[in-house]
Structure formats: structure tokens, C-alpha cells
Amino acid sequence: MDTLINDIFKIKTEEQFQTLALQIFDYQYKHIDIYQRYIQTLNIDIAHIKKIEDIPFLPISTFKFHKISTRKTNENQYFESSGTTSQTPSRHYIADIHIYERSFLSCFEQFIGSPSQFAILALLPSYLEREHSSLVYMVDKLMQTSGNPYNGFYLYNFKQLADRLNYLKNNNIKTILFGVSFALLDFVEEFQIEFPELIVIETGGMKTRRKEMPRQEIHQILSSGFSVPTIYSEYGMAELFSQAYSINGTTFSCPKWMKILLRDMQDPIASPTIPIGQKGGINIIDLANIYSCSFIATQDVGKLVSDNEFEVLGRFDNADLRGCNLLYEQ
């Protein structure tokens, strides 16, 4: 298994990705009972699965009601999705935290740079106020790797954050600010920062604190508020061990071990064969999820721009994907 894990992070070609994805599917089908039952309920003969488009994608809502893992895990070691208090959170149980660390550090280095180059600040109040946040774990580890004395998390202490940003700007220290969308918007309503070299990475999410807004509108407000030319974005979730990044404010790029496929928006269990340029439901292959499920049908809507670039256009109106009901009855 160690060899397979190492191979995941050495992928360079589409052929290597296809080969490893099919190997991991075979492993997960045999070792995740609920995934196996789901596929059997769909009357799918796995002998006919020859390419990644043939692989059944597990509805992401399954993580709310079932423990998705190929190995025994500590019941207290899991990442939990964010959301309102009325929603049932998803839980992604952690079999090997080092795989998550290897994945997000590699993603960050590929799309942003070495953490050691930056002071890293984080405005993540809704995430800091609860336990088991994969985003907080990731940013905290990036701060540890950075080792910069000016790193820090901020809740609602906007004045302290503004003072820190101005200090870093005046001392020409390369800086990254991670922030959940609503908190960044709240911040720039109170403080205007002229820091053109600042990298602002919004992680999405209004979390009922504000009305939903198009990403383009959010980025325009934040770009003006921080006096930066572009707002970066990070696309990740508790159910994934990998992240996609946008550095142009529009399209997201995936690491080599992660792929986006699009399915028919009216049929979440259909094969993900929507072509480049057309809108569809986002299916994700994340090979770093080797000990949970690497094949997930999300509740997001998107559009492929190229084989490894995509746009996120919104979410489905319905709370949970049809198809997960096949599992609730068992």
C-alpha cells in the first residue's frame, strides 16, 4: 500500500492516473461495505469497469450517514463539514493524517509556492469556532511549515488583523491571507487595506451570515478592499484530501492526482460524460482519498474549461443528491 500511495503523488500522465484510479477503485470496492452495496444496488457489474468514466461515484451525502473507510479508524479522528446547526454534518474519518498533509502541502507548493516564503494569516471565524475542521488543520500546518513569527489566526478582531497587514506591507514581507468569504467581506467593509502584493485566498462560504453572491461580485469587492489585482480561491471540502486552486479568480486547476468529471444534472448516478464547455454536476476523483472513497458525486455545479481546469458555478437546489436514497433504505 505504501508503494501505491507514493505512486499517487508521482503521477505525470493520464495513463498513470487511469491505471491507479482503477486499482484504487478495485481496492475500495472490496473494502468499503457501503460503497459495494451501493454499486450492487445499481446492478453494476464491476467486470465491465474499464475506464474512469465507468466507475460509480458515491453521493457526497453518504458521508453524513455512514462511516466511509477501508480501515479501522479512531472514532475521534475525523474531519467534519461546515454548515448550519440544522444540517447533519458529513464526517470524513482519518486513517492516515500524513496522506492529507502530503496532499495539501504538495497542492499548495504547486499552485502558490513554498510556505516558507510567506507570512500566513487566516480569517476563518466560522471554522475556528468548531472542532474537526480540515481547513483549519491545513492552514495551521501551513503556518507551522512557514515558521514565520507573524503567522496567525483571527476571529473577529479586525483591527488587529488590519494592523498586522499594514505592518507586513510596510516591511515588505510576502503575505498570504486565507479567509472565508463572509468574513473577508465584513473586514473590507470596516477596513480598506492598500497591499497590492498581498495574496488573498478566499475559501468560499457565506454560512448563512450573508446572502449568497456570485464569486465574481465577491472578488470585485475584495479586490477593491485590499487593493489587489486578483483574488485567489481554494476549492476543497471535508470529504476530500486534495484541493484545487484558482489564481486567476475564475478557473480552478487540479493536482495530477485529482480530476473533475461532469455528470448530467438531472441524473446524479449517470456516467460523468458531459463535455468541455457544458454545465453539469461536479464529480471528483481524489486519489489521495485512498482509505475513504476517491470517487465522489458532489452537490456543486460546474463547467470544464480543459482537462484539468474547471469553473464552479453554484450548487444544486436540493439538499441531498438523489441516489443516496438507495443507501438510506438499507
Side-chain angles (χ1 to χ4, degrees):
M1 189 57 67
D2 288 342
T3 299
L4 187 59
I5 293 169
N6 286 329
D7 288 343
I8 289 169
F9 297 107
K10 294 179 180 177
I11 290 174
K12 293 183 179 179
T13 67
E14 177 64 20
E15 182 180 6
Q16 290 173 328
F17 182 92
Q18 291 266 352
T19 298
L20 283 173
L22 291 170
Q23 290 178 6
I24 290 172
F25 166 72
D26 182 67
Y27 168 71
Q28 292 178 346
Y29 175 80
K30 292 175 180 176
H31 292 89
I32 303 174
D33 178 66
I34 193 66
Y35 189 36
Q36 184 178 116
R37 284 193 286 153
Y38 176 66
I39 293 170
Q40 291 172 347
T41 302
L42 296 176
N43 293 316
I44 293 174
D45 183 352
I46 64 167
H48 294 156
I49 295 175
K50 303 297 184 181
K51 58 185 185 301
I52 58 174
E53 291 81 4
D54 299 333
I55 295 173
F57 285 74
L58 190 68
I60 198 167
S61 297
T62 311
F63 283 81
K64 294 183 178 184
F65 306 103
H66 299 278
K67 185 175 182 179
I68 312 298
S69 181
T70 64
R71 304 198 315 181
K72 286 187 176 181
T73 58
N74 187 321
E75 293 296 321
N76 296 318
Q77 291 184 334
Y78 57 85
F79 292 132
E80 192 168 77
S81 64
S82 59
T84 64
T85 54
S86 62
Q87 294 175 328
T88 301
S90 294
R91 287 187 174 182
H92 186 180
Y93 286 88
I94 302 165
D96 187 346
I97 193 63
H98 297 101
I99 298 175
Y100 180 51
E101 293 174 353
R102 185 173 180 179
S103 180
F104 70 66
L105 284 169
S106 297
C107 289
F108 187 88
E109 289 174 352
Q110 177 179 342
F111 296 112
I112 310 298
S114 171
S116 63
Q117 298 175 0
F118 302 98
I120 300 176
L121 311 180
L123 184 60
L124 304 169
S126 57
Y127 294 87
L128 288 170
E129 292 168 331
R130 60 183 180 82
E131 296 182 300
H132 304 291
S133 166
S134 59
L135 178 59
V136 170
Y137 187 96
M138 178 183 80
V139 175
D140 182 61
K141 188 68 176 181
L142 290 172
M143 289 181 183
Q144 292 177 36
T145 306
S146 159
N148 192 289
Y150 300 109
N151 294 339
F153 285 94
Y154 295 82
L155 279 166
Y156 302 100
N157 42 342
F158 291 169
K159 177 64 165 59
Q160 293 179 26
L161 175 57
D163 290 343
R164 178 56 54 88
L165 286 170
N166 282 317
Y167 176 86
L168 293 167
K169 177 193 69 173
N170 292 334
N171 286 274
N172 298 313
I173 297 174
K174 295 175 67 174
T175 304
I176 291 173
L177 173 61
F178 279 93
V180 64
S181 299
F182 79 83
L184 291 171
L185 291 169
D186 287 347
F187 177 82
V188 298
E189 283 185 355
E190 189 172 343
F191 294 94
Q192 296 288 301
I193 303 293
E194 292 189 11
F195 195 168
E197 298 78 19
L198 176 67
I199 295 177
V200 179
I201 304 177
E202 62 91 3
T203 64
M206 293 302 188
K207 312 303 180 191
T208 73
R209 308 291 184 96
R210 284 174 169 259
K211 69 179 180 66
E212 291 294 333
M213 298 166 57
R215 176 176 278 109
Q216 183 178 11
E217 183 179 351
I218 293 172
H219 284 201
Q220 288 174 347
I221 295 171
L222 296 180
S223 181
S224 175
F226 290 103
S227 297
V228 296
T230 306
I231 300 296
Y232 291 33
S233 295
E234 179 259 358
Y235 180 77
M237 55 192 72
E239 298 87 353
L240 300 178
F241 267 11
S242 302
Q243 305 78 38
Y245 281 93
S246 170
I247 61 175
N248 61 11
T250 305
T251 58
F252 289 90
S253 298
C254 298
K256 291 291 188 180
W257 57 91
M258 181 182 179
K259 183 178 285 291
I260 304 296
L261 302 175
L262 298 185
R263 65 179 187 274
D264 187 329
M265 292 176 60
Q266 304 304 317
D267 188 358
I269 61 178
S271 296
T273 55
I274 300 297
I276 290 172
Q278 295 184 22
K279 185 168 66 173
I282 293 179
N283 283 9
I284 298 176
I285 300 177
D286 181 6
L287 299 185
N289 274 21
I290 187 167
Y291 290 128
S292 53
C293 185
S294 292
F295 313 96
I296 298 175
T298 77
Q299 296 168 351
D300 292 333
V301 177
K303 180 174 68 174
L304 287 173
V305 178
S306 67
D307 286 339
N308 70 336
E309 292 184 318
F310 66 102
E311 296 179 10
V312 179
L313 304 177
R315 290 176 62 82
F316 285 94
D317 291 334
N318 53 313
D320 294 314
L321 290 176
R322 182 176 65 83
C324 203
N325 293 335
L326 295 171
L327 297 173
Y328 298 159
E329 298 170 358
Q330 298 184 35

